[in-house]
Amino acid sequence: AAGLMLGASCAKPTKVADPLSVAVFVPGIASGSPIYEMLVTGATRAVDETPGARLKVIEAGYDQSTWLDSLRDAAASGEFSVIVSSNPSLPELCAKLAPDYPGLRFILADAYLAGNPAIHTVLYNQKEQGYIVGVLAGLVSKDRAGPGALRAALIAAQRYPTLDRLIRPGFEAGLKAVDPAFELEFREIGNWYDSAKAAELAGSLYGSGVEVILPIAGSAGQGVVAAARERGKAAVWFDGGGYALDPVAVVGCATIAQDRLVYERLKLALSGDESIYGRADVVSAKGGYVGFDRDADAFRALPEALRAAFDEAVRALAEGRPDFSFDTF
Amino acid sequence: MSALVSLLAGSLAFMAPLAPAAVGGLVTEYVGALNIALEGFILIGAFSYAAVGAVAGPVVGFGAALAITAVAAAGADLFSRKAKADPFVVGLGVNMLAPAAASIVSQSLFATKGVAAVAGLQSTLVLPGLRISDIAAFAVAAAIILAIAATPFGTRSRAAGMSPDSLAMAGLDYGKARGAAHLVSGLACGATGAALAASVGAWVPNMSAGRGWIALVAVYLGGKRLGGTVAAVALFSVMLSAAASAQAVVELPAELLLSIPYFIAALVVIVGARRTARRRGT
Amino acid sequence: MNIVRLASIRKYYRSSAAQALDGVDFELESGEIHAVVGENGAGKSTLARILCGFERPDSGAVYVKGAPTSFSSHRDAERVGIGFVPQYSMLATGLTAAENVAIGHEPRCFGPFTDRRRASYEFSLLADRYGFTVDPDAIVASLSSAERREVEILRALARGGSVLVLDEPTSILGEKEAASLFTLVRRLRDSGAGIVYISHRAGEIVNLADRVTVLRSGVVERSFAAADVDECELAGLIVSGTACVDPNARRAGVALGEPVLTIRGVSLGGRGSGSLHRVDLTVRSGEIVSVVALGGNGLESLEDIAAGVVGPDEGDVLVKGRPLAKWPRRELRSRVMAYLPTDRENRGLSPKASVAMNAVAGRLFDYSFAEFAAGSSPLTDAGRMLGEFGVANWKGRRVDTLSGGNRQRVVASRELSGDAELVVAANPAQGLDRGSRSRLLSRLAAMRDSGSAVLLLSSDPDDAAELADRSFALYRGRLTPIERTGSFDAAFSEALTGAKP
Amino acid sequence: MSIATRCRFRFDTIHDAGGTKTAMKLSAALASAAALAALAAAFLSSEPASALRAFFLAPFRTRTAFLSTLELAAPLAVCALGVIVTFRAGHYSLGGEGQAYAGAFAAALAAPILYESLGPASAPLAILVGALAGAIVSAPSAIGKRLAGADVLLTSILVSQGVIFAVDWAIGGPFRDQSSNLVAMRAIPRGALLPRLAPPSTLTAASIVALAACLIAAFYFERTRSGTAHDLYGRNQRFAELQGFDVARLSWAPIVAAGVLHGAAGAMMALGARGTAIRGMSGGIGWSAIGAALVAGSRPQALPFAALLFAWLDSGSRQAAILSDLPPDAGQAIKAIVILAVSARPAIAALRRRR
Ligand SMILES: Nc1ncnc2c1ncn2[C@@H]1O[C@H](COP(=O)(O)OP(=O)(O)OP(=O)(O)O)[C@@H](O)[C@H]1O
Ligand SMILES: Nc1ncnc2c1ncn2[C@@H]1O[C@H](COP(=O)(O)OP(=O)(O)OP(=O)(O)O)[C@@H](O)[C@H]1O
Ligand SMILES: [Mg+2]
Ligand SMILES: [Mg+2]
């Protein structure tokens, strides 16, 4: 170590990064995660279309407490001028780094922070997303459970602001739009990966008469799907990729147009538009950024009338009914 | 009444994957090795079940989980003995290596580093809270219990832990006894991992979720004895299942509920030690 | 025809840089008791361990019944009938006596399962055959040292029995147990077995052995028929340059002083036949008081009481008039009391620490902060103290690489180098060769002469006979004074076995 | 004459009992570790050369990277020192993780409050608060050991695990920064943090404190009477008691001292680069610390090197993900392999023994 230490003391000064060099910071692992795969796809497209631009994908793994260190290493490497990422928790971390690396810019999807001149954030209206799966869950429950007690459930890995303020109320609003008598059960797992415990929680909910569950639990959501499969019940999914987990049990999947969004915003940035930084936008169903994936057998297998009612609700939402819009979060 | 049934079912569901790992941890404890790598070996077991099960079906997958994990555990012990590496550091390395290796292999096998759901690997429920895979896990645990309670393997393992010299006096090799114990604990962790993966029919990164540590704690809470360990496993299963069921009644924070069994257990240990000390009159 | 023969055996220990054996030839005939003697560290235990397959020689050959053999473990040696009773207990203390003997050869039932009942039964058969009375199902940790030794002997005899190697078997046995061991050993010899018998006690050897081999620094110095020498000559041969001392020719006229240790009406229960019942004992400055007992009669309890390891259930223990429990330990041990425990591995030594550290541990806090930090004076002191008891080559070594006797010398160096007012010495000469033993005993006598009070607790009446001013026998937890009139030995054996004179 | 004896790097002391020297162990192990890691990188990366360069050299290549690696090593060294203090007293405490986490939590809680009343002088006090929290978490084990002789390994791991869940809850619940989506507490005001010595690197005075602590501990164990008594107690408690050492104190004080050190290390993390307490921020530091302590052979003087090794591996696996195509799990795998290799006795020494 001593020799290396000497080497370090005569290191070169930090170099100035190429303005067209982009890092995609994946706060997790891209492979197997639809949102992060879309993040990479969108950014790649924007870079491919911009002559001279370069792209590097950095995977940071799932431990959120190490993300700051990874971001800092990326910034300190001096290789990048724009860092693109997607995760609600990133703005704070980036804001912490920004003062140390004044030239660096951040574009963060699925996040919200206004007023930092180095950071542009875009938030999906996840209340609408929740509403969409809420309506579907309500319709399916009512269809299957008949006139009994109307209950649906949300199983979360842990509680966090977007969940409490957007997803959960949106989901509940969707249920109540179907029938105001709906009650929402809420369960918490405690982490993002204990699928066996998720299965256990889901199993007992299904056993007590719940027909549809929405898991917001990362990998642990697999446990909910598994429980639905073996009891012939249903799950609805968030953010895409749900149908692949089970062709029957997952009956619906709300989506976000992450690849399009990232493409558009990065394109702007690479074209030299500095005005986006400091801004915090919210995108919604109206612009087609929040939607629903119809392309699955499980969805097509739902009763004709049910699907018609659901399509109607989604169309109305895109037209602003009900209105879930908000500017500040 | 139904609450009681669901509590019991939940406890069984929690206990099935925990029991083998705890018994496996006990075996290595017998030979005097603190096995902190249970967590890593459970992951190896779970992944092997999914990976082999995907090609050869759940039964072969279960067997492969046992075999692969046993070989891995024995290998780690062999490394630590032959290279004179500190077993604790080796355990640390295993816990770090297992999830990383699983992820790398998963990428080439399932083309994903995330959840890999495999059709047909979910084991069927035979009772509420009890799957075929759980019964298999209990069977593995029972077989190990029988082996340590009633065969020379148990006595020799304990002798190895108490005094390696006493084994040498019987012309037995301490290293071999230690290796055998690790092999068995690998089998056990394989069963735990397979039962976990079979309960959701998929490989989920990190799916052991601390069960290896709970198993280790159960071994110690049970005074490193067979009966005590089994009782501690049962106690933990009931407490954790109760903490989960409690969410149906009040929306209590899951994490705070999870912490309670540990504090209670610590209190039990201290009070228990105090009473033993009194009895000994010191 | 010899059953076992060792030819030009060499063994070097890297960790202690010791050439333990340096070209040793050794033969054992069937039907003979072959004693191996020599100073501490001469290589006796190493020879035994190689003979029994625990260690492999660096070079040289082992012949069994004339055929060259190489043992890869003790199992191989067992297979040709070699049994071993080690110098230190090698039992799994949490298992039962029967389990310890059965281990490796467990009887089975229903396929792979251990037949516990048969293991116990076979153990009792074996015990009956050799006249032992240990309970097969007792956990070893609950047995006394003597009983543990019996278990080890039974383990050695359980298989084969054509060769039995005993490494200082009597060092922790009382006279009675020793006597029955001798009977057993003779019986085995008469039935055609070969016995290797390692011991420092010349008396035993002269009575027991047919042949004697003397080792010195890893080399065989002499080998001769036991009938050719008497006890005194033999003692001289074991340790070069030590004349035979007449045991009773000491005792300078020293004035008796104040009581230093007072044990008054002390009872201690819960230890079976080793419990104490209303024991009274006073040791004054300027005298050596000995208490002798056979195993299991409370000597270990009395040791615990006198050293303050446990408090009595009833009664008082005073040191210089102050209750022992009230003494600050550090002050007591650094200024007042020296203690040589029977259990030297656990109480007397810190086996994994350096030899030097073990030597100065007791006076750690006598150094000033600066003196200790500088480091040279503790090291010099260690050298001086160890030198006094003849421990050589100790630098940079851990205590557990020393031979058994040398470890005891380290304990003695530490405890007896100061001028303690009170010495509690329990079996102080265990495992010491003749020379070290007499050096130790004369040191105790010298301390007495300069005004120390010495309590000598021993299972060896010889220690008492040589040294003590007053003697007591401890039988079933009760003390009986022994008058030094008439036959000392007779008085002892009566008191020790409870036969009232 | 063996290499080990010739390379003796310290004066003879009363402690010297021979054995392999730690410096040699470390360096020889490093060589074999590097070779193994190269092999691993060759399989796991499409550009092994740049992956390896990133893994092994990037943490040292720039001043910033190097100083940040040093800073990463500081809390680890302090934790590992806590491990050594307990292990050398023969108490096998595995509770470091929870103690460090509690320390971070308490410091993040106290720092803003202290800052309001004290201004920039608040940082050392906030570290003390963290140390106190660590001590409180260690207290049940210490009390249990002292009064009841309760097994420290067991009580420490149980209490620690319970505390981890409780702090997870506290950071994610009542004390959470409601305006943020990161599961973390309110950011500590900049002025209340440990001052940066060389921005943009994260280096603070923590690494100097850590180094000093290691040297003091080395002096304590090698050259003081109490340290020696402590060591002897750890090796054989009965013996230490009979030599008249203060065994009552040794039965609990090292456990609390370790709690203090772990808590302080956690506070250093919160008051350093992270700037607050984040859910899960202890990130296995308690376990790595045990690894580092064992690699250092329980010798505080070797600890700075061992901690630097662990920090370097951490930083290297991150750098490799950033500068090459080595995915994080591959970095993690290499890190594991290096740790395994370092834990092995140096191949050289083994060969020498064979001959
Ligand atoms: N395990 C070991 N490691 C290193 N050195 C050893 C070991 N065992 C014995 N030695 C060394 O070998 C030499 C011979 O020791 P051995 O135990 O054979 O002596 P001994 O004749 O039995 O002495 P004692 O009468 O004291 O028991 C001694 O110098 C001893 O220090
Ligand atoms: N049980 C223990 N109690 C207290 N300190 C210990 C203990 N074990 C080891 N140490 C400390 O760690 C150091 C290394 O221990 P040890 O002497 O076993 O290693 P070594 O002989 O130097 O190396 P090795 O055995 O790996 O060749 C010791 O010098 C001591 O300071
Ligand atoms: Mg010997
Ligand atoms: Mg060592």
Side-chain angles (χ1 to χ4, degrees), chain C residues 309 329-330 333 345-350 352 354 357 360-362 364 367 369 372-374 396 398 414, chain D residues 12-18 219 223-226 228-229 232 235-236 238-239 241-245 352-353:
Chain C
V309 175
R329 267 242 157 234
R330 184 185 295 173
R333 289 288 275 123
E345 304 296 315
N346 277 311
R347 289 187 180 180
L349 293 169
S350 184
K352 285 179 190 145
S354 70
M357 179 59 78
V360 298
L364 214 53
Y367 298 106
F369 176 85
F372 192 81
R398 267 163 55 154
R414 179 184 63 235
Chain D
D12 281 357
T13 75
I14 195 93
H15 291 267
D16 186 15
F219 184 82
R223 297 283 167 172
T224 71
R225 299 159 299 174
S226 330
T228 302
L232 286 172
R235 290 168 188 279
N236 182 348
R238 216 332 103 71
F239 175 76
E241 185 187 343
L242 286 173
Q243 292 310 315
F245 303 156
R352 182 164 48 82
R353 219 165 292 146

Side-chain angles (χ1 to χ4, degrees), chain C residues 19 21 26 30 79 88 99 145 162 189 200 211 219 226 281 319 321 323 381 409 425 450 454 495:
Chain C
Q19 185 71 47
L21 296 178
F26 179 81
S30 58
R79 216 164 270 143
Y88 305 108
E99 279 172 327
S145 328
S162 64
R189 185 244 336 253
H200 291 293
R211 200 143 54 114
V219 191
L281 183 69
V319 171
D381 284 351
R409 293 185 191 178
S450 63
V454 179

Side-chain angles (χ1 to χ4, degrees), chain C residues 177-221:
Chain C
E177 290 103 340
S180 60
L181 178 72
F182 299 153
T183 319
L184 172 67
V185 167
R186 288 201 184 96
R187 239 173 78 197
L188 287 168
R189 185 244 336 253
D190 296 342
S191 69
I195 315 280
V196 176
Y197 191 92
I198 299 174
S199 175
H200 291 293
R201 298 184 181 176
E204 278 174 23
I205 291 165
V206 171
N207 286 329
L208 203 59
D210 303 309
R211 200 143 54 114
V212 179
T213 291
V214 182
L215 279 183
R216 189 178 314 284
S217 313
V219 191
V220 174
E221 194 179 61

Side-chain angles (χ1 to χ4, degrees), chain C residues 425-480:
Chain C
N427 288 312
Q430 58 172 329
L432 291 182
D433 60 36
R434 283 301 280 215
S436 314
R437 180 172 180 273
S438 64
R439 194 152 19 177
L440 178 94
L441 296 189
S442 17
R443 172 72 193 147
L444 286 176
M447 288 177 82
R448 179 255 331 262
D449 296 347
S450 63
S452 300
V454 179
L455 175 61
L456 177 68
L457 304 167
S458 178
S459 45
D460 181 1
D462 288 351
D463 293 345
E466 274 181 56
L467 211 55
D469 302 307
R470 290 191 291 139
S471 294
F472 294 85
L474 188 62
Y475 177 72
R476 299 200 170 233
R478 291 191 168 79
L479 273 187
T480 327

Side-chain angles (χ1 to χ4, degrees), chain C residues 31-219:
Chain C
E32 77 164 346
I33 298 175
H34 192 152
V36 178
V37 299
E39 292 174 2
N40 293 133
K44 305 180 294 295
S45 296
T46 307
L47 178 81
R49 285 200 301 268
I50 287 174
L51 187 63
C52 296
F54 290 97
E55 308 216 27
R56 283 164 183 251
D58 299 333
S59 67
V62 180
Y63 297 89
V64 176
K65 301 209 173 93
T69 315
S70 116
F71 298 140
S72 63
S73 78
H74 181 52
R75 208 182 182 84
D76 293 344
E78 242 179 28
R79 216 164 270 143
V80 297
I82 300 177
F84 181 52
V85 179
Q87 187 169 4
Y88 305 108
S89 174
M90 290 188 175
L91 295 169
T93 49
L95 300 182
T96 65
E99 279 172 327
N100 263 291
V101 170
I103 200 164
H105 307 266
E106 298 85 350
R108 311 290 172 100
C109 59
F110 308 116
F113 299 108
T114 313
D115 190 342
R116 290 226 170 116
R117 212 165 322 141
R118 210 168 98 214
S120 293
Y121 176 66
E122 284 173 4
F123 182 93
S124 359
L125 278 189
L126 197 67
D128 286 349
R129 173 136 52 98
Y130 294 110
F132 293 151
T133 54
V134 197
D135 173 10
D137 299 318
I139 301 289
V140 166
S142 71
L143 299 178
S144 72
S145 328
E147 285 170 316
R148 290 186 199 189
R149 179 107 313 173
E150 292 183 0
V151 176
E152 294 198 271
I153 294 170
L154 288 175
R155 177 173 60 189
L157 292 171
R159 277 162 288 277
S162 64
V163 174
L164 184 64
V165 180
L166 300 139
D167 193 353
E168 301 194 30
T170 50
S171 63
I172 52 162
L173 291 186
E175 194 154 281
K176 191 172 129 221
E177 290 103 340
S180 60
L181 178 72
F182 299 153
T183 319
L184 172 67
V185 167
R186 288 201 184 96
R187 239 173 78 197
L188 287 168
R189 185 244 336 253
D190 296 342
S191 69
I195 315 280
V196 176
Y197 191 92
I198 299 174
S199 175
H200 291 293
R201 298 184 181 176
E204 278 174 23
I205 291 165
V206 171
N207 286 329
L208 203 59
D210 303 309
R211 200 143 54 114
V212 179
T213 291
V214 182
L215 279 183
R216 189 178 314 284
S217 313
V219 191

Side-chain angles (χ1 to χ4, degrees), chain C residues 207-272:
Chain C
N207 286 329
L208 203 59
D210 303 309
R211 200 143 54 114
V212 179
T213 291
V214 182
L215 279 183
R216 189 178 314 284
S217 313
V219 191
V220 174
E221 194 179 61
R222 281 184 67 175
S223 192
F224 50 88
D228 298 349
V229 292
D230 69 14
E231 184 177 339
C232 197
E233 279 172 288
L234 183 61
L237 287 169
I238 296 175
V239 175
S240 50
T242 308
C244 204
V245 195
D246 174 12
N248 291 321
R250 313 201 168 167
R251 182 68 184 139
V254 181
L256 228 52
E258 293 293 299
V260 181
L261 175 69
T262 312
I263 295 177
R264 211 159 46 201
V266 161
S267 299
L268 182 68
R271 297 192 171 194

